[in-house]
Amino acid sequence: MSRADDTTTTPTESTHREYILDVRIVECESPADDGPRYRFEAPQHRGVTFENPAMAELYADVYFDVNGFEEAGTGDRGVPPEIIQAGRDTLAAYFLTQPYTDRHWVSSFYGKETEVIERYVARVRHRAEEIREGARERGME
């Protein structure tokens, strides 16, 4: 995952997925031309870019699960306080979106089998979808 502060789109970019409240994932060309990148964008959140669209979508789910967060000021390997406070499953999902981790790293961190981590992630995804659906029902787009 790489960090990017510029969230303006160019002709070589397209929207991969749009969410409520001006949150979206933009597909963009990589500078090294080694395949597309997927940039998460939200109001007052600097863009974060992923090589994999599934990780960008998981990051968006974590974002909705904790009602938004900002990574600025947390350092290269810091975790935003909103994520720490949200609980074990949200933290596990967030860790999976970081460039220095994978499912085995997170499993080892928690001392759990990878299947348990997958259940944690499924709960975060489910809650995020419920939050987005509830917001849509209240007219928040």
Side-chain angles (χ1 to χ4, degrees):
M1 178 174 72
S2 62
R3 304 285 179 195
D5 292 324
D6 182 18
T7 59
T8 58
T9 59
T10 67
T12 60
E13 297 179 341
S14 62
T15 301
H16 171 75
R17 184 160 180 199
E18 284 192 76
Y19 298 93
I20 60 169
L21 305 174
D22 295 325
V23 175
R24 67 185 180 156
I25 297 171
V26 175
E27 182 177 335
C28 47
E29 291 182 13
S30 77
D33 197 31
D34 57 353
R37 298 289 187 258
Y38 300 87
R39 187 177 61 236
F40 171 84
E41 297 179 355
Q44 301 182 21
H45 187 291
R46 67 181 176 162
V48 178
T49 305
F50 300 86
E51 293 178 8
N52 179 318
M55 285 298 109
E57 292 166 4
L58 178 58
Y59 190 89
D61 288 340
V62 170
Y63 183 85
F64 281 104
D65 187 33
V66 298
N67 198 26
F69 64 90
E70 175 59 58
E71 288 185 297
T74 61
D76 288 337
R77 293 183 60 159
V79 177
E82 299 89 346
I83 293 171
I84 297 290
Q85 296 169 356
R88 173 183 306 222
D89 52 356
T90 304
L91 182 58
Y94 176 79
F95 277 153
L96 283 173
T97 69
Q98 301 306 296
Y100 53 86
T101 67
D102 61 18
R103 291 194 189 284
H104 298 291
W105 185 95
V106 177
S107 295
S108 176
F109 179 82
Y110 281 107
K112 304 284 185 185
E113 298 292 326
T114 56
E115 293 79 18
V116 173
I117 303 306
E118 290 169 12
R119 284 195 298 271
Y120 289 170
V121 169
R123 287 195 295 236
V124 170
R125 289 188 182 281
H126 180 74
R127 280 196 310 269
E129 187 54 41
E130 284 181 335
I131 290 165
R132 290 188 292 261
E133 185 58 35
R136 276 188 216 91
E137 289 172 0
R138 290 175 184 77
M140 300 171 80
E141 290 291 328

